[in-house]
Amino acid sequence: MTASDPTAAWERWRARTPELHKKLVELLKRSIEERGHTRVVLGLSGGLDSTVAAYLFVETLGAANVFGVMLPYRTSDPLSLSSAQGIVNVLGITSRRVNISPMVDAYFANFPDANRERRATRLAWERLAILQDFGAHYGGQVLQIVNRSDLALDFGPDPRLPGNAFRPLSGLYKSQIRLLGKQLEIPAQVLERRPSLDSYPGQADEAELGADYEMIDAALTWLIDARGALPAGVARGLPADVLERVQARLERTGSAGAVGID
């Protein structure tokens, strides 16, 4: 336990990452087989979570059984698309690119005053609908890439989307996924890229959450996994403002998100 890791969460996660990697490969293969599939369909954003998922499933099922879909919107960061294409090239998976701007803009032509949150939700719905279509057409299990941190905090539109998509990373905090990314040796530019839903130009997840995921996840593991009290967390060195913000979100959602994997 150190000043930068007051709950020793990162120390535990780092030590367990090789074992978690092996466990995940076995778990994901079994989960896909139980759903009656041999291949998967996932959206590739060029970000950390979808990249780690792609690497894991290529290892689990083979590149021929992983179908990546890039779903850019006209305001998307160009780096998202180029990064996603780079992952496709490195892994050698089949991919398709679908520009979702025409369908989304046609809808919001009826609602020009729609706010950012409403537009972000519509983008998420459109992307999931297209993935479901590809899954039905190609006979693959659709993946919804959402992590335990965002589920617990009810952050972004994806945790609220229903459907029969499989959420392979839902039991992992964002910080655990980052450590897995290092274990899998994904490209450095993906590991170092700031987390973003890319729902509008310049959007940054950690700016909206009010803290970086490293500290958010330390707070989450203290409040959820250790069932620690806020004052004791502060005494251990967790910032009071982060703990209070995270606890308020947990109380509002009334859920700890998915069950953790370690």
Side-chain angles (χ1 to χ4, degrees):
M1 187 168 65
T2 65
S4 60
D5 186 18
T7 64
W10 269 80
E11 181 182 340
R12 293 194 302 274
W13 291 332
R14 188 177 292 108
R16 295 175 184 173
T17 296
E19 180 185 351
L20 174 63
H21 176 198
K22 181 180 178 181
K23 182 177 180 180
L24 266 175
V25 169
E26 296 170 353
L27 175 62
L28 296 179
K29 188 175 191 300
R30 185 168 65 249
S31 297
I32 295 302
E33 290 175 347
E34 288 174 352
R35 287 167 169 77
H37 292 284
T38 58
R39 64 184 67 175
V40 295
V41 175
L42 77 159
L44 290 174
S45 67
L48 174 68
D49 294 12
S50 67
T51 298
V52 167
Y55 270 67
L56 283 171
F57 277 101
V58 165
E59 181 178 354
T60 301
L61 304 176
N65 294 312
V66 178
F67 188 89
V69 188
M70 292 166 280
L71 298 162
Y73 181 61
R74 59 180 174 80
T75 62
S76 296
D77 183 348
L79 185 59
S80 298
L81 187 57
S82 62
S83 179
Q85 184 61 58
I87 299 307
V88 167
N89 296 343
V90 167
L91 294 177
I93 62 176
T94 303
S95 69
R96 287 290 300 272
R97 183 185 305 181
V98 179
N99 177 12
I100 65 173
S101 303
M103 44 281 250
V104 173
D105 287 346
Y107 178 77
F108 281 115
N110 300 292
F111 310 102
D113 297 328
N115 62 23
R116 283 178 173 176
E117 182 177 359
R118 188 173 171 188
R119 290 177 183 275
T121 299
R122 183 70 185 84
L123 289 172
W125 273 100
E126 188 64 46
R127 287 173 171 138
L128 185 56
I130 291 171
L131 291 176
Q132 294 287 6
D133 177 62
F134 275 117
H137 182 65
Y138 289 103
Q141 172 63 56
V142 174
L143 307 181
Q144 188 183 9
I145 309 303
V146 60
N147 60 65
R148 190 183 183 197
S149 305
D150 292 346
L151 281 169
L153 299 172
D154 192 29
F155 175 68
D158 284 286
R160 304 165 204 168
L161 296 184
N164 60 354
F166 173 44
R167 294 173 164 179
L169 304 183
S170 63
L172 300 176
Y173 290 123
K174 186 80 168 187
S175 299
Q176 290 177 286
I177 297 172
R178 185 170 299 282
L179 288 168
L180 263 176
K182 293 180 180 179
Q183 171 81 15
L184 293 165
E185 298 182 344
I186 69 172
Q189 64 267 27
V190 177
L191 275 173
E192 296 165 4
R193 192 175 173 202
R194 69 176 185 176
S196 174
L197 296 172
D198 205 16
S199 52
Y200 59 85
Q203 188 273 336
D205 296 353
E206 292 173 332
E208 292 191 5
L209 289 169
D212 60 41
Y213 275 106
E214 182 173 347
M215 195 53 67
I216 287 170
D217 288 345
L220 283 171
T221 195
W222 174 253
L223 294 170
I224 296 174
D225 301 329
R227 299 188 179 182
L230 194 149
V234 173
R236 278 178 169 259
L238 287 166
D241 61 327
V242 176
L243 274 171
E244 289 167 359
R245 190 177 293 113
V246 168
Q247 182 169 270
R249 275 186 171 268
L250 293 176
E251 290 173 351
R252 187 163 65 249
T253 62
S255 170
V259 176
I261 301 175
D262 55 32

